[in-house]
């Protein structure tokens, strides 16, 4: 098992999954890691909709533009933002789940639900709630993943440390933005 620091810096999205189902106790641990994320004033303005069957994942996948991982996954979790919730908090819960999953050998990929109205309709989420993101989970199919990564067009890796980290004051010349 990786040490916690390597798990954090080494977390890469996985978009190819084996058909093996994720056992219920592992699913529970992943969700519980999300539940234990910190939130603004500890308001926990979130709910996690668990999609265990393929039909429900395929339905939700119609609500985004790059949802192939959700179609291939063996588990989906939609992140619902309750009224007055914050995207920052939703992101923390999501990252907790993804890191916990990685610690348990499960791969994951965030999924944007570009058509949020579609996502809310599909899942029965009320109008004044948000549902912009989901996470696809599954045991990694590393051979398929290697082939997928070899074909990828997006740049991999990360920006250099000095471009991202600004000491004391923002440096517009270094930000690349
Ligand atoms: C907010 C957010 C939304 C994302 N939406 C999608 C998506 O809809 N489909 C997808 O395949 N990947 C999605 N990703 C995954 C990113 O493409 C991925 O995090 C990025 O390429 C870095 O990958 P790496 O950590 O493996 O280097 C999303 C990531 C984030 C953080």
């Amino acid at each position: 098992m990786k040490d916690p620091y390597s798990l954090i810096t080494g977390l890469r999205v996985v978009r190819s999954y084996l058909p093996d189902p994720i056992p219920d106790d592992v699913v529970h641990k992943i969700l519980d890691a999300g539940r234990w994320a910190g939130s603004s004033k500890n308001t926990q303005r979130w709910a996690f909709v668990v999609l265990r069957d393929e039909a429900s994942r395929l339905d939700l996948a119609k609500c985004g533009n790059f949802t192939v991982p959700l179609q291939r996954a063996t588990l989906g979790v939609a992140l619902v933002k309750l009224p007055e919730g914050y995207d920052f908090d939703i992101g923390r819960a999501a990252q907790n789940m993804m890191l916990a999953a990685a610690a348990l050998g499960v791969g994951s990929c965030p999924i944007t639900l570009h058509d949020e109205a579609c996502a809310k309709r599909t899942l029965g989420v009320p109008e004044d709630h948000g549902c912009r993101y989901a996470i696809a989970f599954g045991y990694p199919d590393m051979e398929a993943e290697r082939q997928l990564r070899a074909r990828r067009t997006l740049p991999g890796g990360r920006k250099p440390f000095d471009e991202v980290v600004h000491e004391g004051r923002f440096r517009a010349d270094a930000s690349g933005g």
Side-chain angles (χ1 to χ4, degrees), residues 42-60:
N42 199 23
T43 45
Q44 304 164 65
R45 304 295 295 160
W46 53 45
F48 313 136
V49 181
V50 188
L51 305 174
R52 294 177 198 262
D53 65 292
E54 187 179 29
S56 63
R57 288 190 296 274
L58 294 180
D59 272 350
L60 188 64

Side-chain angles (χ1 to χ4, degrees), residues 11-13 15 66 69 109-112 114 133 152 154 158:
L11 182 71
R12 300 282 76 83
V13 298
R15 297 188 172 96
F66 306 105
C109 182
I111 299 295
T112 305
H114 298 86
Y133 302 103
R152 78 190 265 170
L154 288 177
R158 294 296 185 261

Side-chain angles (χ1 to χ4, degrees), residues 140-154:
D141 179 342
M142 285 322 292
E143 187 44 44
E145 191 63 22
R146 257 189 292 279
Q147 289 173 22
L148 193 68
R149 286 180 193 177
R151 291 199 306 270
R152 78 190 265 170
T153 48
L154 288 177

Side-chain angles (χ1 to χ4, degrees), residues 40-170:
S40 172
K41 297 180 185 161
N42 199 23
T43 45
Q44 304 164 65
R45 304 295 295 160
W46 53 45
F48 313 136
V49 181
V50 188
L51 305 174
R52 294 177 198 262
D53 65 292
E54 187 179 29
S56 63
R57 288 190 296 274
L58 294 180
D59 272 350
L60 188 64
K62 291 177 192 146
C63 305
N65 300 342
F66 306 105
T67 61
V68 172
L70 188 59
Q71 296 165 38
R72 294 183 178 152
T74 52
L75 174 76
V77 175
L79 304 160
V80 174
K81 184 174 68 171
L82 306 190
E84 284 148 50
Y86 294 98
D87 288 336
F88 188 91
D89 296 347
I90 294 290
R92 291 193 68 190
Q95 186 77 353
N96 260 22
M97 287 192 229
M98 293 177 63
L99 284 169
L104 297 164
V106 175
S108 63
C109 182
I111 299 295
T112 305
L113 303 168
H114 298 86
D115 186 346
E116 194 171 351
C118 165
K120 292 203 282 189
R121 202 171 50 245
T122 304
L123 299 174
V125 172
E127 189 53 43
D128 60 348
H129 293 39
C131 188
R132 177 80 176 155
Y133 302 103
I135 312 174
F137 292 98
Y139 286 106
D141 179 342
M142 285 322 292
E143 187 44 44
E145 191 63 22
R146 257 189 292 279
Q147 289 173 22
L148 193 68
R149 286 180 193 177
R151 291 199 306 270
R152 78 190 265 170
T153 48
L154 288 177
R158 294 296 185 261
K159 292 179 181 178
F161 186 92
D162 291 338
E163 186 180 323
V164 177
V165 179
H166 302 201
E167 292 286 347
R169 205 172 155 75
F170 179 75

